[in-house]
Amino acid sequence: MTWRKSSYSTGTGNCVEIALTAHTTHVRDSKNPHAGAIAIPAPAWAEFLRATKAR
């Protein structure tokens, strides 16, 4: 998996990283990447993005 940081990330380290696969988006804390990640099904991630962009 290829991880990437949020484009809104600042130098403080308070951000998340995501990795996209065909059916899942994985999200982890960039400060502690070895602590694990959560896996979100692609339809739920798409809805999350839609809802946050609508605000």
Side-chain angles (χ1 to χ4, degrees):
M1 261 186 289
T2 302
W3 291 92
R4 62 186 177 112
K5 282 189 181 181
S6 166
S7 61
Y8 291 97
S9 175
T10 63
T12 63
N14 294 326
C15 60
V16 297
E17 296 176 323
I18 64 167
L20 302 174
T21 63
H23 303 286
T24 309
T25 299
H26 302 267
V27 182
R28 69 182 182 184
D29 182 351
S30 64
K31 292 186 309 283
N32 195 3
H34 301 294
I38 58 171
I40 303 168
W45 182 253
E47 177 59 23
F48 169 75
L49 292 178
R50 186 201 64 74
T52 56
K53 289 178 182 180
R55 294 188 171 257

